[in-house]
Amino acid sequence: MTGSFHRLAEKDRPTVEFFIDGRAATGLEGDTLLVAILNQAEALRHSEFGDGPRAGFCLMGACQDCWVRLENGTSARACTTPVDAGMRVLTKASGAQWLTNGS
Ligand code: FES
């Protein structure tokens, strides 16, 4: 998996295992979910409104562009949520359809 972010420093923190669209992924302890995802993926999620891949905008909790769906049915604002071991993130349209199907 190629990421949009490239980690330059603090590479020696303990790893955190999580999942992106069912695939095993690794972040570092203290990463936000946004950083952990974008270190391994080109996009944070795909827009539920069909306007393409999203990667967040403000990175400080203000714009709401970084909400991601989790497999357990909840969602998280990726730029302010620390990545946790075992988190299961959905970035594909199938996960976003959950939003638009009225479920
Ligand atoms: S990137 Fe703006 S709220 Fe997360």
Side-chain angles (χ1 to χ4, degrees):
M1 219 182 304
T2 303
S4 288
F5 282 4
H6 180 74
R7 193 180 303 277
L8 297 176
E10 298 185 35
K11 298 178 181 180
D12 57 348
R13 287 181 277 140
T15 59
V16 176
E17 306 292 327
F18 69 110
F19 297 87
I20 302 172
D21 299 323
R23 291 177 301 188
T26 304
L28 297 184
E29 199 172 278
D31 281 352
T32 63
L33 193 51
L34 183 144
V35 167
I37 293 170
L38 290 180
N39 266 301
Q40 306 208 8
E42 289 185 11
L44 188 61
R45 64 182 179 92
H46 290 264
S47 170
E48 63 272 34
F49 303 109
D51 55 350
R54 310 300 300 171
F57 182 72
C58 72
L59 310 183
M60 61 181 199
C63 75
Q64 314 302 317
D65 189 50
C66 66
W67 284 91
V68 293
R69 182 66 58 189
L70 304 178
E71 279 186 17
N72 67 5
T74 63
S75 55
R77 187 169 50 200
C79 73
T80 59
T81 302
V83 65
D84 277 335
M87 271 183 147
R88 301 186 72 89
V89 180
L90 298 171
T91 69
K92 303 289 186 205
S94 60
Q97 286 174 345
W98 192 88
L99 290 173
T100 58
N101 287 343
S103 303

